[in-house]
Every structure is written in C-alpha cells, then in structure tokens.
Amino acid sequence: MDEKRMKKYGYPDGHLLYRNLSRNYPKITHGKGVYLFDEDGQCYLDAAGGALVTSVGHGNEEVAQAVFKQLTQVAYVNGMHFTSEPVERLSEKLAGYTAKAFGGEKFRSLFLCTGSEAVEAAIKFARQLHFDRGELQRSKLLVRTPSYHGNTLFALSASGRPHYQKVFQPLLNEVVTISAPYEYRSPVEDYAKNGADFYGEELEKKLQEVGPETILAFLFEPIIGSSAGASLPPSGYFEKIQKICKKYGILMIADEILCGSGRTGKFFASEHYDLKPDIVVLGKGLAGGYAPLSAILVKDSHLKEIHEASGNFMHAQTYLHHPAGAAAGCAVLDYIEKNRLIENAEKTGALLHQELHQALDSHPNVGFITGKGLLAGIEFVKDKKTKEPFARSEKFVEKFVNKALENGLTLWPNVGQADGVNGDLVMMGPSLLISHREIVKLSAKL
Ligand SMILES: Cc1ncc(COP(=O)(O)O)c(C=O)c1O
C-alpha cells in the first residue's frame, strides 16, 4: 500500500479514535455489489460483508431510495408516542417469517439499533415475564462459552470471551456458563455421534448445581459466530437442549444477529435444527448496513401475560422503533424476497464451502473449515496434528487479514478461541447476492 495514504489515516494523526491504534485505514469512497473502492481506486472483494452485515450488497439503489423517501417524509418520531408505517410493516413481515419457521404462534417485534442493545432488551423481556408470573427467583442467565453477544456491559458479561472481559471484569455481572458445541476443539470423542448427549448431560449437571428454578433464560447462537468460527452443533443437540429448557421453564433466546436474516440459506438459522425459541434477536443483515437496525421478536402470548400483570414491557430507548431504520429493513427484505437471495445464499454458500475445502483442506496451517450457507469460518493452526495454535505474540491472523486486504479481499479476524488467549481464525459472510463467479474469485484470492 502507498505509504503516504497509510500515514494519513491512522493514529496518531487526525481526530478520530481509531479502534486499532497500530494499523492504518484505507478510506472507502463507495461500494457496488460485493465490492468496495477506496480513494486510490483499490477494489476490495468484501468477503466479510463488513462485520457480516451486508446482505443486499453495497450501493443498492432500491434500498437507499426507500430510506431516502422515509427520511424526507419523517426522519424520527418518538416510539413512546407514535407509530409509523415502516415499523408496522416490518413487524408484519417478520411475523410472516416466524409463522413459517416456528408454527402458528404470533410473534411481535420491537426495533432498536444495535445487536448489543437488542440482546439486553431480550434478557429484560425474559426477566419481566418471570417477574410478572411471580417467579422472582429466576434471575440468572445461562450462556455458553465461547460465544459473543455484544459489547455493552451486560451483553459482554453474557459473552464467553475472556480476553474481551479481562479489563472490565469488575463491572461485569455473573452468568451461568456451559460449553458451546465448538466442533474443532470439542473434548467429545465422536462429536457428530456423541456430541448431543455430552452437551445435554453437561447442561443437566450445571442446572442441578445452580438450581434450574433460578435460571431465567438460555441465550445462545444457533450457529456460533466469530467466537468459534461458524461452528455447527452436533446432530440432535438442540432437540436435547430444547427439551431440558422446556422441562425447567427456561426461556430460550436465539441470538440470530449474525446467523439470521437469510445468511445460512434459511431466514432463521434455528430452522436448520427445528428449533422453536421463545425470543429471537436479529441485527446486522436485517437492514444490511443501510441503517443501524436490530429487533427482538417475542411471542404474543408472553406479551399478553405481561400486559395482564404489569401492563407494559418496561423498556424504551430514544431510537426505539426508528422509522428510517425500519424502512431500510422493509426494503432489504423486499429485495431479498424479489431476488430470491435466501435461495442464493444456500446455493452459492454450498459452492463457497466446496471451493474452500478444495483450495485449503490440504494446507498444513488450515486446521478446520466450517459453516453453513454464506457463513464460513477457517481456523488456522501451527500444527495440524496436535491442533496447537500459533502463539498470540505472532499475530498470525492480523498479518493474514492485512495481507488479504492489500490483495483486495476483506476478511473478519478473530483470536483467542483456542484457550482464551491463543487461536486464529477468519470469518466470511459476503452479501447474499454474491454470484458463482465472485465466489470462485474470492476463493482464488484467499
Ligand atoms: C452473535 C452476535 N450477537 C450480538 C452482537 C452484537 O451486535 P452489535 O455489534 O450490533 O452490538 C454481535 C456482533 O458481532 C454478534 O455477532
């Protein structure tokens, strides 16, 4: 990269608080489809979809026009005082998706901006439901490690990411933790065959330790995101977990912020496992980056209980039910439906996995490739036989991702998954409109 430009956009120059103070940032001027362009004309194939956000590509005129139209009609109304056409319409559309995925029961949506906020709102909803039922002892959240649910203090408390938590530990809340089904580093002898029993037994044991009647909800990613490289659960896992949660009255909160909104070839990743969560959280791809938008989807019957007991769900924020955010969500879903992008995610996703396996399976430093649809993770190791990771001091994945960027490919890195410190992986989650040709190009660049 050009030294002059690299010096221009990075610490200590400028006034921006850069997230990473030891790297330089290209300045992006525009994007089209799966490509981004910087001010020097360098083109990047956006394999990471930003932070696995883009779903309908960059520079999508239809979506941008819909947001613009809404902004000119009304930019903002207080969600405590008014409703608006886009929020009503988006909630109806999402109810269509939940009806198809989870059966008859009606779901209602509440719209916020970021995933972390929505995760916290979902936890508050679960707590208030138990409170209104008189089950005041249900105060503990059950989560898995590794996992990621956000960076606000409670969402961070709920995340199985020790290296993100270390500095902030005194500010975090206690949660109950079990192991996530992380296939590559699972202690189970035959993951596919024995995994469900193993993790089911661990859950039962943990519940007996802490008292199942104290647990308010189980928060989980149906397909794990960056914290475990798109790891898939073993067969029968969710059947077992769901049965146990039901037996003890533990609400299931599916965090589909990263894996939902069509990315894995179904609208909800839960659908792959016949999973019927009580609450679903969406974000990222729902508005595809055209506005900050997240949602919690809750059962109408649960809201009815709250309505009859305390009256209202006690949660609001300034940008609750933001009309322009919802307009972006509606336009993104319209575009996905019109262009059959969920089917495309399934088809091109299968090609992506085939290409990745063909190109990289035999590489001595590629430990594992996994994922579903247009979600893929690759874990790198120093020693393939022992699965020994590179020492963190080598900064393997940082170097890898920077090199890819220089070669015009964006990837999403992650570290620490092997033991809380070491571990290097990259995630891919391109826009759902990616073509076969672009998948082949992505794989070749990689
Ligand atoms: C699974 C999952 N949950 C929650 C979040 C938090 O979302 P946000 O960064 O929008 O707050 C993320 C973000 O990466 C995520 O991947």
Side-chain angles (χ1 to χ4, degrees), residues 21-32:
L21 303 180
S22 53
R23 76 179 287 268
N24 296 293
Y25 294 82
K27 190 190 265 182
I28 295 299
T29 52
H30 62 289
K32 195 74 202 159

Side-chain angles (χ1 to χ4, degrees), residues 51-53 113-119 147-152 155 159 220-221 223-227 255-259 281 283-284 293-294 412:
L52 295 107
V53 166
C113 297
T114 66
S116 306
E117 288 170 275
V119 162
S147 65
Y148 184 64
H149 298 290
N151 246 336
T152 51
S159 298
F220 63 95
E221 299 158 82
I223 295 178
I224 307 175
S226 51
S227 62
D255 179 345
E256 297 234 9
I257 290 165
L258 188 147
C259 60
V281 191
K284 294 189 187 268
L293 178 70
S294 59
W412 183 252

